[in-house]
């Protein structure tokens, strides 16, 4: 049984369609990250699931029960807001106890349940503090405790790490993931931070202009984006336009301005004229181009795709070097390689990659409302 189901969910604000015909099912215990640029409709979707925003059309089911018309307190969804929304005049204990009191849980049970959840989020001993007396991370965990204390069916997180510094944010990713798995609670996690989405989620739902572009496991989203927009939004993309001229032996051959490239594709066939070939920067290997025009064959060079170019820029990132290499009058690619050997600006280089590393997708930029 799906634990969250959204059916044709639609919401407009005046002429703006913020969420457009969204269909989605989350399995029990699954964590799905909603990822997309600012204004793509992530928060509006989350607020509709929580009951803070009313859908214009469509239906919402939580734990198999339709909740579309119900107010937030009758939906059984724990929510953590971006700014935590803790009551500043209540202690940590009182903040966490609040939802239980609203649900008329007996006083003696409340004490025990709050103590248990505070222990789970490592806040034992801080129950008497007020939110302004807590660090950002402690406030965050108080908000998590408040959302989880009444064992909700689903957990809804709206950019829960946005207010923390970079190091704490990274630690909290793993913390939230392990807490979520310990509770086995179905979770929607809204973020515009792709690293966060890729690290945390079982599946990532990529949204643009209110429209779901793709929902898949993180590796699929990165390696096999459904369209050029998703490829470009998640990670660094090298998108080389072309036309499929042959797809007879499983490998597709694409005619491009930098020559014929061989790659693999999902739904693309030779009948789809306009495509782009996406090669991720870490998939491109750099080689010295010899004066004879041949390659330095000191490394094993995958045979399928070979290009030549000139290094236009190099940035040193510590664990790797980030190059911009011009491979044609209109085509510059990013290459991320080990920092040694060093290729300098102006060097003529050869680039190689396998057909498996070249993912062919539809050229159109993805669906927008
Ligand atoms: P962010 O990452 O910036 O929070 P988001 O993807 O969560 O963005 P939403 O907050 O869902 O985006 O907003 C989607 C669109 O709807 C935006 O264009 C936003 O301006 C608009 N919008 C959201 N709430 C309202 C509202 N109450 N009234 C009018 N427009 C709204």
């Amino acid at each position: 049984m799906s634990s969250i189901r959204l059916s044709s969910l639609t919401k407009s604000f005046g002429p703006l369609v913020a969420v457009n015909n969204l269909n989605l099912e989350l399995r029990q215990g699954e964590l799905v990250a909603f990822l997309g640029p600012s204004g793509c409709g992530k928060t509006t979707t989350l607020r509709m699931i929580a009951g803070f925003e009313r859908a214009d059309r469509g239906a919402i089911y939580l734990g198999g029960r339709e909740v579309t018309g119900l107010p937030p307190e009758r939906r059984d969804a724990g929510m953590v807001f971006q700014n935590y929304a803790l009551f500043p005049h209540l202690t940590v204990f009182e903040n966490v106890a609040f939802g239980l009191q609203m649900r008329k849980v007996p006083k003696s049970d409340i004490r025990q349940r709050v103590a248990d959840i505070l222990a789970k989020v490592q806040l034992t001993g801080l129950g008497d503090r007020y939110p302004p007396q807590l660090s950002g991370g402690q406030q965050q965990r108080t908000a998590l405790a408040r959302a989880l204390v009444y064992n909700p069916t689903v957990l809804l997180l709206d950019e829960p790490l946005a207010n923390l510094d970079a190091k704490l944010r990274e630690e909290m990713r793993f913390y939230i993931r392990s807490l979520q798995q310990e509770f086995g609670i179905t979770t929607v996690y809204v973020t515009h931070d792709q690293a966060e989405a890729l690290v945390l989620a079982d599946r990532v739902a990529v949204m643009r202009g209110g429209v779901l572009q793709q929902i898949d496991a993180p590796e699929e989203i990165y390696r096999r984006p459904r369209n050029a927009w998703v490829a470009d939004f998640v990670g660094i993309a090298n998108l080389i336009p072309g036309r499929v001229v042959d797809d007879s032996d499983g490998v597709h051959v694409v005619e491009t301005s930098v020559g014929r490239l061989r790659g693999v594709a999902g739904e693309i066939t030779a009948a789809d004229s306009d495509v782009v070939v996406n090669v991720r920067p870490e998939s491109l290997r750099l080689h010295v181009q010899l004066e004879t025009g041949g390659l330095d064959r000191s490394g094993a060079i995958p045979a399928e795709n070979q290009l030549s170019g000139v290094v236009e820029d190099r940035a040193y990132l510590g664990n790797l070097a980030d190059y911009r290499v011009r491979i044609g009058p209109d085509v510059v690619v990013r290459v991320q390689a080990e920092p040694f050997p060093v290729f300098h600006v102006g060097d003529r280089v050869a680039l190689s990659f396998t057909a498996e590393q070249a993912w062919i997708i539809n050229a159109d930029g993805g669906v927008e409302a």
Side-chain angles (χ1 to χ4, degrees):
M1 186 184 67
S2 61
S3 182
I4 298 181
R5 184 155 77 86
L6 310 179
S7 170
S8 306
L9 206 59
T10 300
K11 175 75 187 176
S12 299
F13 296 106
L16 177 93
V17 186
V19 178
N20 195 349
N21 196 30
L22 180 62
N23 292 290
L24 201 62
E25 284 192 35
L26 276 72
R27 295 183 287 271
Q28 172 60 42
E30 190 179 27
L31 191 156
V32 168
F34 284 12
L35 176 69
S38 184
C40 72
K42 313 179 289 288
T43 299
T44 303
T45 304
L46 196 76
R47 288 174 58 80
M48 283 194 282
I49 300 172
F52 296 115
E53 205 76 72
R54 183 174 274 276
D56 296 339
R57 223 159 29 79
I60 301 165
Y61 302 83
L62 301 183
R65 182 173 71 111
E66 178 164 6
V67 300
T68 318
L70 296 182
E73 64 276 12
R74 292 187 51 205
R75 293 198 176 197
D76 208 17
M79 175 125 179
V80 175
F81 298 89
Q82 185 172 339
N83 58 4
Y84 315 140
L86 298 173
F87 302 118
H89 59 289
L90 299 185
T91 64
V92 167
F93 182 94
E94 290 162 345
N95 263 285
V96 176
F98 187 79
L100 296 175
Q101 286 159 353
M102 297 286 284
R103 286 172 175 76
K104 307 259 183 289
V105 175
K107 253 197 171 139
S108 53
D109 287 0
I110 291 181
R111 187 151 284 287
Q112 190 56 50
R113 283 171 71 172
V114 174
D116 287 349
I117 195 80
L118 289 183
K120 279 238 162 68
V121 299
Q122 296 152 23
L123 287 177
T124 301
L126 297 186
D128 293 334
R129 293 242 194 122
Y130 289 87
Q133 299 171 321
L134 299 175
S135 71
Q138 289 164 341
Q139 289 183 32
Q140 219 277 335
R141 281 182 276 139
T142 306
L144 275 169
R146 188 178 59 175
L148 288 168
V149 72
Y150 57 88
N151 288 323
T153 308
V154 300
L155 179 62
L156 308 174
L157 305 173
D158 188 6
E159 307 238 10
L161 307 183
N163 293 339
L164 304 178
D165 68 48
K167 188 134 181 68
L168 188 56
R169 207 156 56 218
E170 236 173 73
E171 278 171 28
M172 286 300 289
R173 278 179 199 161
F174 293 103
Y175 176 73
I176 287 186
R177 181 60 169 157
S178 65
L179 197 67
Q180 183 265 339
Q181 285 180 331
E182 188 183 332
F183 278 77
I185 187 166
T186 312
T187 301
V188 176
Y189 189 108
V190 163
T191 181
H192 62 259
D193 180 333
Q194 48 174 286
E196 212 165 281
L198 296 177
V199 166
L200 268 163
D202 294 306
R203 286 188 297 162
V204 180
V206 185
M207 290 182 74
R208 178 195 188 199
V211 179
L212 180 66
Q213 304 290 312
Q214 182 170 0
I215 175 162
D216 263 318
E219 198 176 318
E220 283 291 297
I221 295 274
Y222 185 76
R223 295 190 54 213
R224 299 176 181 278
R226 184 155 301 156
N227 58 48
W229 188 85
V230 173
D232 202 32
F233 184 71
V234 181
I236 300 167
N238 289 308
L239 299 170
I240 304 168
R243 294 172 60 89
V244 177
V245 290
D246 184 16
D247 63 351
S248 51
D249 64 352
V251 169
H252 289 48
V253 181
V254 180
E255 187 78 59
T256 76
S257 66
V258 294
R260 289 196 164 192
L261 301 178
R262 295 163 69 78
V264 291
E267 296 143 9
I268 305 289
T269 68
D272 293 286
S273 48
D274 294 325
V275 298
V276 288
V277 180
N278 182 34
V279 193
R280 296 292 186 187
E282 68 279 9
S283 298
L284 284 159
R285 293 194 53 190
L286 287 181
H287 315 269
V288 175
Q289 176 123 42
L290 301 175
E291 285 190 3
T292 55
L295 301 180
D296 170 9
R297 301 213 172 245
S298 52
I301 296 172
E304 287 112 323
N305 295 295
Q306 294 186 6
L307 299 166
S308 59
V310 176
V311 175
E312 287 199 340
D313 195 15
R314 175 184 191 271
Y316 175 63
L317 303 181
N319 58 337
L320 43 84
D322 191 352
Y323 295 97
R324 281 179 169 70
V325 180
R326 180 167 296 281
I327 57 172
D330 304 317
V331 191
V332 174
V333 289
R334 291 272 293 276
V335 181
Q336 291 186 336
E338 290 185 356
F340 301 101
V342 176
F343 295 90
H344 299 281
V345 172
D347 281 357
R348 281 206 69 79
V349 290
L351 305 91
S352 65
F353 52 100
T354 63
E356 190 57 38
Q357 291 166 325
W359 176 242
I360 302 167
I361 36 188
N362 250 314
D364 77 54
V367 194
E368 191 162 12

